[in-house]
Every structure is written in C-alpha cells, then in structure tokens.
Amino acid sequence: MNGLPQVWDQLRRQGLAEGDVPPMAQAQVATPWHVRLMLGVCGWLGGLLLLVFAGLVLPDPFDSHSLVVVGVLLLIVARMLLQGQPPELRAQFALSLCLAGYGAVAVAGAAWLPVWGTFLAAAGLGLVLAIVMPNAIARCFGVMALLLAGEGCFRELDWPSPVPVIAAWACAAAWLGETRWAHRLGQGQAPLSWGVTLALWVLGLAGALLHGMDLSVPPAWRALAWAAHVLAALPLAWVAWRLSVRARPALRGWAAATACALVLAGAWAPGVAFGLMTAVLGYARVRTPLWVGGLLVALWSVGWFYYAQAWSLPRKAAVLLALGGVLLLAWRGIARLGAPEGGHD
C-alpha cells in the first residue's frame, strides 16, 4: 500500500490536489459504547484484583500506616498511568486505583484525626486530585470530594455551612458562562462544572433528608443558617433573570418573581431550588444529562418534603396543587426564555 506522500503526488499530477503534503494526523474514530463499557469493566476489575493482591501481601492491610503508604502509592501510580492520552483500558484501571488510593488515605486519616479533621483532610486531598490529576473524571471526583467533605466538616462542627452557597453560585456561573470558562480554563472547565453540579445534586438529595428546618445548629447560629439557605437558593432567580435577557420586560419580571418564590421554597427544601436551577440551565444549554438530573433531584426533594410533613391530606393536596401550578407556569416561562449571547460577555 502506498504511503501518503505517494498518494498525494498522484493526486497532484491529476490536478485533484495542490500544495505540499498535509501533516499526518491519526483519525479519531469514536469507540462504540459497548466496547468502552467492556474496557471500563476490565479496567476496574484489574484494579480490584490489584487491591486484593496488596491485601494478601501486606501483613496487616487495615493498619493505618499501611493504608497511608498503599494509598499514596496508588495515587502516584494512577497519576503516572493517566499521563498523556492513555487508552481506555489503562485510563479506567488508573481511575480505579485513584479512587482506591483516595479511600485508603481517608480511612487512615479517620484513625488519627477527629471526625471533623478527617473530613477536612478528605477535602484537602480532593483539592489535590482536582489539581494534579490529568484525567477529567478524576478531576471531577476531586472537585466533588472537596465540596462534600467540606460540608461534612461544617456539619460535624455544628456550624452553618457555606458549601451549598459556594456550590450553587459556582454551578450557575459555570454553566451561564460556559464559553468564557472554557476559554480561560481549557480542559479543566468540564471537570469543574460537572464536579460542582454533582456535589450540588448530592447536597440537594441530602437536604431532602436533613432540610433547613431540622439543622442541628445552636440557636445563636440559626439566623445565619437560614441566611445561608436563602443564599444557596438565590442563584435560581439569578439564572432566570440572565436567561430571560432577550424576553419582554414583563415576561422577564414575571420569570424573576416566579424564581424568587421558588427560592423561598428552597429554604425549606434545598433540593427543589438546586434541581430546578440545573434543569433550567440544562434546558437552555441543550444538555440532556444536566436537565434530566436536575429534574429528578427536584422531584425527589418535593416528594420527600411532602411525605415528611405531618399535615392533613387536604392541606397536602392544596400544597401540591399550588406547587404544580407554579411549576407549570415556570415551565411555560422557561420555554420562552432566550439564552444569553455566546462568546465572552
């Protein structure tokens, strides 16, 4: 088979091409999903077998010192395997080692530190993964671990947590200014956006179990805790205002007012505000996983809040009817909202 220079020379003699030979580039063919799934399973199975082998070799695999050494070694090996553009099998194997190393170090820290210190160390290790790991999934996990471990630290100390506020505003800013963030952060934009979003969804689902009314904070912190819940839900109104920039002033004000009403509901059930905000962003950005996941989080939070209240059935029915009307009006307004201009604003 002739090489590219010979083929290009023949095309040039026939008048079908002109100029020098173009630089050779490998054709990137999308791997079928079932092949990627099989390679992923094989990679994670290989990581599991390696961990079993390490457990058999070490005298006491559950000793805290052994866990730290093994965890750090696994993280270093994962960092080396993820360098460059690894094939799918090696990338999945490295990801399994990365998560195992993170878990080993976190468990070892639990043996040395108090509970809040363990969460703080886990948050710091998540920040390290988000910075040093060259893989998008590993960075996404690092961002999510940073936020969730930070939330656990504040809850263990019985302090009002600023983590939902930070996650909600960062999620809204990331998806609203997606093109700007992609220009500034490059390949780090997607892991940051999705890591913050996944952490926000987990916080929303946990908020359905531990909603704002049941936060075990001292009375002196209660006003600050309520302010934090309102600030965490407020990005929903900001997103509605920004996405309605092309709408008529009356429609824009109506959308913002509806979003503010949902913000007040978000102080009682944070998952409602978090889920609706990501659903609206996903709908505006034409990202199906984002709006589907956000809608599921919102529905879960509404359902749990409904069954958790010791109300009579007529009162629950009235609340559901009112909420259904608000959601229908909100969806009708969302369908008319225009997205902000692309590029760098």
Side-chain angles (χ1 to χ4, degrees):
M1 181 177 180
N2 294 333
L4 179 60
Q6 290 78 12
V7 174
W8 189 263
D9 187 58
Q10 294 179 6
L11 293 175
R12 189 165 48 190
R13 285 199 299 267
Q14 296 176 5
L16 300 177
E18 57 183 23
D20 298 331
V21 180
M24 296 183 63
Q26 293 183 351
Q28 298 181 353
V29 181
T31 307
W33 68 268
H34 54 275
V35 176
R36 297 184 62 186
L37 177 62
M38 181 182 64
L39 292 176
V41 171
C42 293
W44 284 82
L45 182 60
L48 178 62
L49 293 177
L50 179 62
L51 293 178
V52 172
F53 175 76
L56 295 176
V57 171
L58 294 176
D60 187 5
F62 296 101
D63 178 65
S64 57
H65 296 84
S66 301
L67 285 175
V68 169
V69 173
V70 171
V72 172
L73 290 177
L74 289 177
L75 292 176
I76 293 175
V77 172
R79 175 65 176 81
M80 296 173 60
L81 292 177
L82 291 173
Q83 187 67 32
Q85 297 291 335
E88 190 71 24
L89 179 61
R90 194 174 79 186
Q92 295 298 327
F93 177 70
L95 284 175
S96 65
L97 298 184
C98 178
L99 297 184
Y102 177 87
V105 175
V107 171
W112 297 337
L113 302 172
V115 179
W116 67 268
T118 302
F119 280 119
L120 185 61
L125 186 57
L127 178 62
V128 171
L129 295 182
I131 294 175
V132 304
M133 285 297 173
N135 182 269
I137 299 179
R139 287 183 175 181
C140 178
F141 172 79
V143 174
M144 183 175 64
L146 168 64
L147 294 173
L148 295 181
E151 174 71 8
C153 179
F154 281 100
R155 283 188 178 271
E156 183 63 27
L157 293 172
D158 289 335
W159 292 353
S161 174
V163 174
V165 180
I166 297 173
W169 284 97
C171 178
W175 291 113
L176 282 175
E178 184 178 5
T179 54
R180 183 176 66 238
W181 282 48
H183 176 71
R184 293 180 178 178
L185 301 178
Q187 296 181 351
Q189 182 267 334
L192 178 61
S193 300
W194 280 108
V196 172
T197 301
L198 293 176
L200 193 66
W201 286 348
V202 173
L203 293 175
L205 295 175
L209 304 177
L210 298 171
H211 50 81
M213 292 297 293
D214 291 336
L215 280 179
S216 57
V217 296
W221 295 108
R222 197 151 297 165
L224 188 58
W226 271 103
H229 276 276
V230 174
L231 286 176
L234 198 58
L236 174 60
W238 181 49
V239 167
W241 181 260
R242 286 288 305 275
L243 292 180
S244 61
V245 66
R246 296 180 181 176
R248 299 189 306 271
L251 178 60
R252 194 179 191 192
W254 172 83
T258 305
C260 288
L262 293 173
V263 164
L264 296 178
W268 288 71
V272 175
F274 297 162
L276 289 178
M277 183 188 71
T278 51
V280 170
L281 288 170
Y283 182 85
R285 290 292 178 260
V286 197
R287 289 184 175 272
T288 303
L290 186 60
W291 75 261
V292 170
L295 191 60
L296 291 177
V297 171
L299 292 177
W300 163 267
S301 301
V302 170
W304 182 268
F305 179 77
Y306 170 79
Y307 285 107
Q309 302 303 315
W311 293 342
S312 62
L313 288 180
R315 185 178 179 184
K316 286 187 175 182
V319 170
L320 282 183
L321 182 62
L323 181 61
V326 171
L327 291 179
L328 286 176
L329 291 175
W331 186 256
R332 183 181 177 185
I334 290 170
R336 297 182 181 181
L337 296 184
E341 293 81 358
H344 315 302
D345 48 5

